[in-house]
Amino acid sequence: MRHHVGAVAVKNKHILSTGYNGAAAGVKDCLELGCLRDELKIPSGTRHEICRGIHAEQNAIIQASLHGVSIEGATLYCTHSPCILCAKMLANARIKRFVTSGKYADDAFLDLFKEAGIEFELKTKPSLSIVPLD
């Protein structure tokens, strides 16, 4: 029913914060309530305010804030490219670099990242199979 998205903010080889997508702490999610976006046939990448979910990038920023950790100048590794709302938050958090191997339905973040000086890297998706070493 939902994307499985994770994010990790890293600086100087240290993990600063992590986040994953899901409903706010202590409230029901779409798996329990049903998905309003699906019911209203809202396409992916639009009308973000309709969703109860908090994006992985947003949760990484929130977790850093809750624990008093600055992510300024950090690299954010994420399973998907950001929506425009997350891109604005990442620009204000002063993220330096964003690395992903997955594409989100919206590319509006690219112009904002360029203007904000955030490096964007789209990597080849790694293999998910485990191969034993001989």
Side-chain angles (χ1 to χ4, degrees):
M1 175 174 273
R2 67 179 198 197
H3 293 288
H4 297 278
V5 183
V8 179
V10 176
K11 187 173 181 182
N12 299 325
K13 298 183 182 181
H14 293 283
I15 295 173
L16 303 175
S17 69
T18 63
Y20 59 89
N21 63 318
V27 301
K28 294 179 181 176
D29 64 18
C30 294
L31 296 174
E32 293 179 77
L33 296 174
C35 180
L36 185 57
R37 291 179 60 84
D38 283 349
E39 291 170 21
L40 297 175
K41 298 181 181 6
I42 297 170
S44 182
T46 65
R47 304 288 314 273
H48 302 284
E49 74 279 3
I50 299 296
C51 183
R52 291 179 68 85
I54 300 168
H55 290 184
E57 305 94 320
Q58 294 168 350
N59 270 325
I61 293 167
I62 292 164
Q63 287 302 309
S65 175
L66 284 172
H67 297 286
V69 175
S70 172
I71 56 174
E72 181 176 358
T75 296
L76 193 86
Y77 295 92
C78 191
T79 55
H80 289 69
S81 56
C83 71
I84 190 64
L85 296 175
C86 288
K88 290 188 278 187
M89 291 178 195
L90 293 166
N92 264 7
R94 298 187 180 135
I95 291 293
K96 177 180 160 188
R97 186 169 153 244
F98 190 100
V99 179
T100 188
S101 63
K103 296 280 286 168
Y104 187 61
D106 180 13
D107 280 340
F109 73 93
L110 287 169
D111 289 335
L112 179 71
F113 271 18
K114 185 175 181 180
E115 186 177 348
I118 299 172
E119 299 171 41
F120 176 71
E121 292 183 43
L122 180 61
K123 300 283 191 179
T124 302
K125 191 171 188 171
S127 171
L128 299 178
S129 62
I130 299 172
V131 179
L133 298 174
D134 292 326

